[in-house]
Amino acid sequence: MAASPSTITPLGRSTKSSWIRMAPRLVCVVIACMVGSSSSTFTVTNGIMQEGTPDQLGTYILTNDRTGDFAEVIWESGGRLEQLNLNGHDVLITHQDNATMVRENPHWRSCPLVPFANRIRDGEYSWPLGQPDATSYSLPLNEVSDDRSDALHGFLCNKTLELRAKSVDNEDDGAMVAIGYEFEPDSEIGYPFHIDVTLIYKLTSDGITVTVRVVNKEDQIDVPLTISWHPYLAVQDVSQAVIHSACPLRHVVMGDGAPRHGDLIPTGNTETWDDFDGTHQVGGNSTNPTYMDDEFRLTPSIHACPNLEVAITDVAANNVTTVLFADPQFRYLQIYTGAMENWGESSIAVEPMVGKADAFNNGDGLQVLSADTTFEGTFGFKVRQA
């Protein structure tokens, strides 16, 4: 289908089409399903993961045909970013085209986390926070072990999102898809609030950005909100990887037993942290890298250091560097290196967070979204080859 430099598809769900498994991921065999002309640098196409099985899932693939960069977003599973290839580098640990695994969601791979991220202690909070007439709410507990019993990572993951817009703009150098989900009043246990979520993915020659837009659709009341994302970055050897934060960080202190054990709920204290200055490797060895499940806070003011930027250099893979960047809405960071120890995957989870763990109770980074107002935050990735 021929397209002008900027082609917009209006609201509505896209039509599924037949797909052939090919590099880089999938190739559409129905030309009309593509946004962009045959001469376009960027395209947006429809895909199906594990087509023909009961668990098949619909996706969108954003492609830079000139460079081979591409991103695959699963709109039928929370809008998670399943695949990302930038500058010839496969950035993420994926589900290996296994739609059943996606639905089972064993490790929250690349899930957007809305309307809360990280842990809420015992799944309990009161709202409005700190008010004498606050209402108590109980969230479903989905992290239950000998160490803890918490509500974890919100409700968006595995929801089916609707298409809201898609476009290619070769003058502006990018491909975009916007998908969304509306949480109706009382649709979620423990979070009865009416909010609307839009995820806007944009692939450009510089990398990928993800904008999360949340609208409070309540008529009169404020709603609580925190947001994060849960990508696992593929690295050849975690122990040799080097982490560098452009902004100074402080380590958020958790209770006894952290980072492997205990409740992993912030104590309210922080401590100096210098290991992410770009000179320290993670440590350990390739089969048992140093274990981290640790949270950090940007210490400077937004004026002094407005944007989160964390670079992961994969020393064992010729020093290829993946850079996570985020706008001033994201002042917290979670780093997890335990995937190799716990399930044998060589990866580092690097999670930009708007608020601290248990923010619904401690208020640190908690967004108080007034009636009929909007939160918007953007993060993304780029890759530098050595």
Side-chain angles (χ1 to χ4, degrees):
M1 177 175 65
S4 62
S6 181
T7 302
I8 303 291
T9 300
L11 298 182
R13 195 179 303 280
S14 64
T15 303
K16 296 180 182 177
S17 56
S18 300
W19 287 77
I20 299 174
R21 175 82 166 146
M22 296 180 67
R25 173 62 170 82
L26 295 168
V27 176
C28 182
V29 297
V30 180
I31 300 301
C33 80
M34 300 179 69
V35 175
S37 69
S38 60
S39 62
S40 294
T41 300
F42 290 92
T43 56
V44 180
T45 53
N46 300 336
I48 301 176
M49 173 182 284
Q50 211 171 354
E51 184 177 9
T53 69
D55 287 335
Q56 72 176 34
L57 291 166
T59 70
Y60 294 113
I61 299 107
L62 293 72
T63 305
N64 183 335
D65 293 327
R66 186 179 66 250
T67 65
D69 292 356
F70 70 96
E72 182 182 31
V73 179
I74 309 177
W75 59 266
E76 275 195 299
S77 182
R80 66 174 94 208
L81 185 59
E82 172 63 9
Q83 294 197 83
L84 179 63
N85 183 286
L86 299 174
N87 205 7
H89 176 61
D90 288 324
V91 175
L92 302 173
I93 294 292
T94 74
H95 295 87
Q96 301 174 337
D97 202 32
N98 186 332
T100 302
M101 185 187 296
V102 174
R103 293 183 184 275
E104 291 173 349
N105 190 34
H107 309 302
W108 302 90
R109 286 193 185 105
S110 291
C111 270
L113 308 179
V114 183
F116 63 89
N118 216 306
R119 295 172 178 86
I120 296 181
R121 184 201 295 268
D122 300 324
E124 303 286 338
Y125 71 99
S126 296
W127 187 254
L129 182 62
Q131 298 300 310
D133 59 347
T135 300
S136 296
Y137 295 100
S138 298
L139 297 159
L141 303 178
N142 58 350
E143 187 191 39
V144 179
S145 69
D146 292 340
D147 288 313
R148 64 194 71 100
S149 181
D150 299 318
L152 184 69
H153 291 338
F155 297 114
L156 189 62
C157 199
N158 274 342
K159 300 292 190 186
T160 296
L161 279 64
E162 66 176 5
L163 176 66
R164 295 189 170 174
K166 58 181 176 179
S167 71
V168 294
D169 191 334
N170 292 305
E171 291 181 354
D172 191 37
D173 199 27
M176 181 276 292
V177 65
I179 53 180
Y181 185 85
E182 186 169 351
F183 288 90
E184 298 288 349
D186 297 312
S187 62
E188 304 295 338
I189 296 172
Y191 192 87
F193 310 110
H194 189 190
I195 62 172
D196 185 81
V197 182
T198 302
L199 307 177
I200 305 167
Y201 286 89
K202 186 172 184 181
L203 181 71
T204 71
S205 57
D206 296 324
I208 192 166
T209 60
V210 186
T211 298
V212 182
R213 183 179 297 153
V214 181
V215 179
N216 179 1
K217 298 185 70 98
E218 296 283 355
D219 292 330
Q220 299 180 21
I221 63 172
D222 299 343
V223 302
L225 179 72
T226 59
I227 286 169
S228 182
W229 189 38
H230 208 289
Y232 290 86
L233 305 190
V235 295
Q236 189 167 308
D237 185 339
V238 174
S239 70
Q240 295 185 44
V242 174
I243 303 174
H244 177 248
S245 173
C247 293
L249 300 171
R250 288 189 66 83
H251 182 231
V252 175
V253 177
M254 303 292 177
D256 293 343
R260 281 185 176 85
H261 302 293
D263 59 16
L264 300 186
I265 297 295
T267 63
N269 298 319
T270 63
E271 59 189 6
T272 301
W273 187 268
D274 298 321
D275 286 358
F276 295 165
D277 62 1
T279 67
H280 297 81
Q281 294 184 332
V282 170
N285 57 54
S286 60
T287 55
N288 287 288
T290 300
Y291 190 99
M292 297 182 66
D293 191 359
D294 291 79
E295 185 173 331
F296 303 89
R297 176 175 61 82
L298 274 69
T299 55
S301 67
I302 289 177
H303 176 74
C305 198
N307 298 318
L308 173 69
E309 183 175 300
V310 178
I312 309 294
T313 298
D314 192 355
V315 175
N318 298 316
N319 290 310
V320 61
T321 298
T322 300
V323 180
L324 165 72
F325 55 90
D327 71 13
Q329 298 282 18
F330 296 86
R331 308 303 289 175
Y332 294 87
L333 174 73
Q334 187 88 13
I335 299 288
Y336 177 71
T337 63
M340 175 58 78
E341 178 177 314
N342 287 330
W343 58 85
E345 287 183 345
S346 188
S347 67
I348 300 175
V350 184
E351 308 165 40
M353 301 191 302
V354 168
K356 189 187 289 186
D358 201 33
F360 275 32
N361 289 306
N362 59 45
D364 292 336
L366 179 66
Q367 302 298 298
V368 179
L369 200 58
S370 300
D372 200 31
T373 61
T374 300
F375 167 92
E376 184 169 303
T378 298
F379 53 85
F381 280 124
K382 55 188 175 183
V383 169
R384 299 193 299 256
Q385 295 286 1

